[in-house]
Amino acid sequence: MGEGVVGRDVELETAKELARHAALNALAAAVQAVGDLDWVRIVQMLVFVASTPDFGLQSQVANAASELLIEVLGENGRHARTAIGVAGLPLNTPVDIQMVCTAV
């Protein structure tokens, strides 16, 4: 489940689940840095999707992570976002997320 290219080895629904998992990992790091979930605000998220050239649904993968953050943080979870298809990611992971957060 956690390796491969979306559109070839990994289905869209699995990629969405991986994006949610990656967002939760990034959120956990932010909480650890500031000390409390209530103090975290997401500013920007960059979602990389290792995908086939014809996949074209990277934004749907990223939506899964964005929706989760808004569900967990409410207005503090709203953020700017970019979804990018790439040829490959470290350790052959299908989805990777960079998140910029601030303390409120």
Side-chain angles (χ1 to χ4, degrees):
M1 175 174 135
E3 291 186 3
V5 174
V6 181
R8 185 183 69 209
D9 313 309
V10 178
E11 298 292 326
L12 175 60
E13 290 306 314
T14 301
K16 289 179 177 182
E17 193 59 39
L18 291 168
R20 285 188 282 268
H21 186 77
L24 285 175
N25 285 343
L27 184 58
V31 168
Q32 187 174 26
V34 300
D36 192 295
L37 183 64
D38 293 334
W39 298 344
V40 175
R41 184 171 79 77
I42 311 303
V43 176
Q44 180 183 26
M45 187 168 62
L46 181 55
V47 180
F48 298 94
V49 182
S51 51
T52 60
D54 63 337
F55 178 66
L57 300 175
Q58 291 84 359
S59 62
Q60 287 188 26
V61 175
N63 284 347
S66 292
E67 290 164 2
L68 174 75
L69 292 171
I70 293 167
E71 182 180 321
V72 170
L73 296 173
E75 285 303 308
N76 284 340
R78 293 198 185 281
H79 54 274
R81 188 196 74 211
T82 304
I84 299 174
V86 297
L89 290 166
L91 303 175
N92 201 27
T93 186
V95 179
D96 198 8
I97 290 180
Q98 174 186 333
M99 193 181 296
V100 177
C101 305
T102 188
V104 292

